[in-house]
Amino acid sequence: HTPQRLSRLACAPLDSPLLPAMEREEHGQLLLVTNQAVDTKLRIQNEVDVITKAFCEESIIKLPSWTIEELELTVSRHRHGVAVAHFAGHGNGGFAFHQGGLLPLRIVDSDYLAEKFENCTKLQCVFFNACSSVPAATAFQQRCPAVHYLIYIRRRIADAASIAFAGAFYAHLAQAQIWSFEDAYSEGLNALRNFPSMYVDGVLPEFWIRSNTPPPSPVRVGPPRTPLEFKVLLKMAKSRRED
């Protein structure tokens, strides 16, 4: 089945002030996957810019003009560090990848794409800012149990609207004390109020939350962290006791 659109009446807020004070916050990075082509290079770069503006460069793993091999290597290398995956560019029934050289873009099998992320233990949210991306979102829903939130476009969305939506979404996350993907999605929808309905083909971007499972620990995107090393120097006074 396809992901169901979020009903705000059926979903409790994720940023409740009643969250335990000692709840551990997860930390990870944002994987930004784009399939820039000649006709979309400027539009996608604008989207990359608004996301980078929300976070520092070190917080984002960028994978432009990706091939299958590059994706596999990058995801494998960062499988325990990616908290959010964002896909921007050509969709049209999934998500497109570069075949190398002068070959045209090609839509990758959605199950094959999701399979690459099955072992990403921290991956909580996947955002497909691409037209007709329901098949890709459905595959992540079914194959990636760690993914709790999905954002996707059911029909088509104009470039300006998609950039505004993503910009508002990530700007809210970057400024929030406690991350709530639901609230960030609402901010994205607010940004779309300035656009005629034809900019989203009459259907707003949709948001899916995994049901019957407790929400994961709050997550925050930031630069990679390295274990802290502590060096403790003990000065031991040696004394002789004379009997």
Side-chain angles (χ1 to χ4, degrees):
H1 61 288
T2 61
Q4 299 298 310
R5 185 174 179 180
L6 168 69
S7 169
R8 294 183 63 84
L9 297 178
C11 183
L14 301 180
D15 60 340
S16 168
L18 301 179
L19 285 173
M22 296 300 291
E23 187 171 11
R24 182 170 62 91
E25 181 181 76
E26 293 287 351
H27 175 86
Q29 291 176 279
L30 187 149
L31 176 63
L32 179 53
V33 184
T34 61
N35 52 24
Q36 293 183 4
V38 175
D39 61 330
T40 60
K41 186 174 183 180
L42 179 60
R43 166 260 189 259
I44 292 179
Q45 187 57 51
N46 289 338
E47 185 169 341
V48 170
D49 289 344
V50 298
I51 296 173
T52 305
K53 182 179 179 180
F55 307 106
C56 63
E57 281 280 354
E58 294 76 13
S59 303
I60 304 173
I61 304 165
K62 295 180 179 179
L63 194 58
S65 304
W66 64 286
T67 64
I68 291 293
E69 293 76 15
E70 290 170 334
L71 179 72
E72 289 179 341
L73 180 62
T74 302
V75 173
S76 177
R77 182 182 300 163
H78 300 282
R79 63 186 180 278
H80 299 309
V82 174
V84 179
H86 183 96
F87 295 84
H90 285 286
N92 194 25
F95 197 69
F97 70 99
H98 285 264
Q99 301 182 75
L102 299 177
L103 294 173
L105 292 173
R106 179 180 176 186
I107 300 296
V108 65
D109 178 78
S110 294
D111 285 327
Y112 182 80
L113 177 63
E115 181 184 287
K116 305 305 174 189
F117 291 82
E118 284 181 333
N119 296 322
C120 290
T121 56
K122 287 186 178 180
L123 182 59
Q124 291 191 11
C125 179
V126 178
F127 189 151
F128 281 99
N129 206 14
C131 297
S132 306
S133 49
V134 171
T138 301
F140 273 80
Q141 173 194 349
Q142 296 173 347
R143 301 190 69 96
C144 300
V147 174
H148 201 79
Y149 312 97
L150 284 164
I151 301 159
Y152 55 94
I153 311 297
R154 181 168 294 276
R155 293 183 182 173
R156 298 182 63 81
I157 187 168
D159 292 348
S162 67
I163 294 168
F165 178 62
F169 178 88
Y170 288 110
H172 176 83
L173 288 182
Q175 297 168 10
Q177 283 191 330
I178 298 179
W179 272 36
S180 167
F181 290 108
E182 183 186 357
D183 286 348
Y185 168 74
S186 296
E187 287 299 315
L189 293 186
N190 287 337
L192 292 180
R193 290 180 178 177
N194 299 322
F195 296 90
S197 62
M198 64 182 181
Y199 275 64
V200 293
D201 201 13
V203 179
L204 293 171
E206 299 182 27
F207 185 50
W208 173 87
I209 297 178
R210 189 174 295 281
S211 60
N212 301 321
T213 58
S217 300
V219 66
R220 187 168 296 277
V221 164
R225 294 177 178 176
T226 55
L228 295 176
E229 294 184 3
F230 294 95
K231 292 183 178 180
V232 180
L233 301 178
L234 299 177
K235 293 184 178 180
M236 302 180 65
K238 294 182 179 180
S239 61
R240 293 182 179 179
R241 299 180 61 185
E242 297 180 358
D243 295 334

